[in-house]
Amino acid sequence: MTLNSQKPTYVVGHLNPDTDAICAAIGQAEYLRRAENVDAVPIRCGAVPSRVAWVLEQAGMETPALVTDVRTTAELICDKDHVSVGEDATFYSVYRAMQKSEVKSVPVVSASNEIRGILRFTDLMQLLMPDSLEGQQSVKTIHVSQQHIKETLKGRSVAADLSEDEEDLIMFVGASSKESVLESINAAKEEGLCDKQVVICGDREDIHLAAVTNSVRVLVVTGGYKVQDEVISEAKEKGVAIILSRFDTATTVQLVRCSRSVSNALGDEFLCVNADEAVSDMRKRLSAARQDLFPVVEKGTRKLVGVFRKSALVDPPSTTLVLVDHNEYAQAVRGVEEANVIEVIDHHRLGGDVMSREPIRFLNEPVVHPPLWLLGNLDI
Ligand SMILES: [Mn+2]
């Protein structure tokens, strides 16, 4: 059984439970539910001996669930509704998702929801900036897929099929005179860079044709303009992709940059926490980390369960416990020291372990033995 976020009050007997430990947990939980309107659930912290199983079977009672550790876990403190994004998502879609959810970091996951990294707003911004300002080519070069360009532009493809693979593309805006544009295309051709060029321009048919004839990689036609059939058939023949954008050239250029996938901004180093890891165990490990958001993953699969901030480690919610048939921590469920014990019902010596912030019900009475004829096989 996994402790979930809507935790009830657990009523638990001692380790190596016997009949009175199990039956007291069942009985006291039932009493608290009925008489005191407490959301009480009986649990056990060890295997059920056959004798106890027999008693429960005779009484038609269910065996309490096994909970061997009541420490607060990562799963318990994490936010399971936090927005996450796919590694294939574009800058634009992630930026919009972060704005909408008003978050500064998001977990990035694979198609099967495995954690790939944590993306901060500042990491995201790097996607808009060229890696270097040295040389025109590096400023204009972006690592992006044709399919993503189309998606971000909410555009339409009219010639060769768009590639889904990311590649280095060099943006070129066909805004100058026809002669200047052709000169640039020819220069790119001489440098062997033509098949990396994305030519972006409006309703300039001569440029469209020149770009396609020279086998640039992609032609993006802006402003909602159409391209001539001649250009389309030439593009199909040359394998040039054409994307129609309804945005003007300046906006289109900006949105092409925003088409980069966020996987390009992900670092390798980030801390991850298993869902069943106790907060008290992870606190030291995470306190020095510069990370502000920690992904919680399913142990073994690394599937994302949720995320939490460092501040969640400060005062995590504790498990509420009622101890029956014991009061010494040495005999209690793991994590009892971190739990909030609100009641003790027992018939053993006082161990002196239980501490509480407020007064609690603490019943400790010796058992008055029943007559010998009743003892039989009873376990008390
Ligand atoms: Mn007992």
Side-chain angles (χ1 to χ4, degrees):
M1 177 173 165
T2 309
L3 301 180
N4 61 42
S5 54
Q6 301 298 317
K7 287 204 303 183
T9 294
Y10 291 108
V11 185
V12 63
H14 51 77
L15 294 168
N16 305 316
D18 50 13
T19 309
D20 62 339
I22 297 283
C23 293
I26 293 172
Q28 186 60 11
E30 187 72 19
Y31 170 79
L32 290 171
R33 274 200 305 275
R34 289 201 200 181
E36 302 187 4
N37 203 25
V38 173
D39 181 19
V41 172
I43 58 169
R44 62 188 163 92
C45 53
V48 177
S50 54
R51 175 188 293 195
V52 182
W54 181 85
V55 170
L56 293 174
E57 195 186 331
Q58 295 303 305
M61 306 296 295
E62 275 183 35
T63 306
L66 177 68
V67 176
T68 53
D69 193 339
V70 295
R71 290 178 300 169
T72 302
T73 60
E75 182 170 12
L76 199 70
I77 61 167
C78 76
D79 175 4
K80 292 178 181 170
D81 299 322
H82 196 279
V83 60
S84 63
V85 299
E87 59 189 329
D88 193 35
T90 62
F91 165 91
Y92 183 74
S93 61
V94 174
Y95 178 77
R96 292 295 299 267
M98 287 171 97
Q99 289 248 311
K100 195 175 167 197
S101 309
E102 297 181 337
V103 295
K104 291 194 177 105
S105 299
V106 283
V108 179
V109 292
S110 70
S112 53
N113 200 36
E114 285 155 1
I115 189 73
R116 287 286 186 260
I118 289 287
L119 190 74
R120 297 167 303 174
F121 199 71
T122 45
D123 301 325
L124 195 60
M125 285 305 155
Q126 285 173 22
L127 288 175
L128 291 188
M129 298 297 141
D131 293 335
S132 158
L133 288 176
E134 298 303 316
Q136 280 201 23
Q137 233 60 303
S138 67
V139 177
K140 291 189 293 188
T141 303
I142 49 165
H143 193 66
V144 70
S145 83
Q146 299 173 11
Q147 191 65 35
H148 278 162
I149 293 177
K150 191 196 91 172
E151 283 170 21
T152 309
L153 291 172
K154 295 188 175 69
R156 202 155 59 85
S157 159
V158 291
D161 289 341
L162 301 184
S163 166
E164 292 189 4
D165 297 332
E166 297 205 319
E167 55 192 314
D168 279 337
L169 295 176
I170 305 164
M171 286 198 288
F172 175 74
V173 177
S176 316
S177 68
K178 184 184 169 188
E179 290 70 32
S180 298
V181 173
L182 289 179
E183 207 173 294
S184 298
I185 290 177
N186 280 330
K189 206 172 182 180
E190 275 172 29
E191 288 178 65
L193 295 173
C194 226
D195 60 351
K196 287 181 182 294
Q197 273 195 319
V198 182
V199 174
I200 302 168
C201 70
D203 59 341
R204 303 188 62 187
E205 285 153 14
D206 45 355
I207 304 295
H208 298 173
L209 195 58
V212 168
T213 311
N214 284 288
S215 296
V216 298
R217 188 77 173 128
V218 187
L219 168 66
V220 181
V221 178
T222 62
Y225 295 114
K226 294 200 171 79
V227 280
Q228 288 184 328
D229 291 345
E230 183 195 355
V231 175
I232 294 176
S233 52
E234 178 78 3
K236 282 180 179 166
E237 198 177 302
K238 291 272 170 69
V240 177
I242 300 180
I243 299 170
L244 304 184
S245 164
R246 61 192 164 89
F247 300 103
D248 63 38
T249 302
T251 310
T252 299
V253 168
Q254 206 160 11
L255 288 176
V256 168
R257 247 187 210 292
C258 294
S259 311
R260 294 191 68 187
S261 87
V262 293
S263 57
N264 291 296
L266 275 186
D268 298 333
E269 288 183 17
F270 65 99
L271 291 169
C272 222
V273 176
N274 285 328
D276 64 353
E277 205 170 333
V279 171
S280 47
D281 282 350
M282 69 175 86
R283 201 173 269 136
K284 197 174 175 191
R285 180 161 74 90
L286 303 185
S287 63
R290 291 183 64 194
Q291 207 168 312
D292 58 345
L293 196 69
F294 298 95
V296 176
V297 297
E298 207 176 82
K299 198 175 182 178
T301 68
R302 285 179 74 79
K303 287 197 173 174
L304 184 69
V305 174
V307 292
F308 66 85
R309 295 188 179 289
K310 208 181 271 181
S311 57
L313 300 173
V314 177
D315 190 19
S318 52
T319 307
T320 306
L321 280 188
V322 169
L323 306 184
V324 291
D325 195 34
H326 69 305
N327 70 78
E328 295 187 46
Y329 283 178
Q331 297 166 3
V333 61
R334 186 175 189 197
V336 67
E337 301 87 350
E338 296 177 17
N340 181 25
V341 176
I342 59 159
E343 187 173 280
V344 180
I345 315 279
D346 191 18
H347 63 146
H348 296 95
R349 66 164 199 170
L350 293 181
D353 292 325
V354 177
M355 307 269 279
S356 67
R357 287 182 192 169
E358 292 163 12
I360 63 168
R361 181 189 288 152
F362 195 111
L363 297 181
N364 188 276
E365 287 194 42
V367 168
V368 178
H369 282 271
L372 280 176
W373 60 265
L374 192 61
L375 277 174
N377 281 332
L378 284 183
D379 169 27
I380 51 175

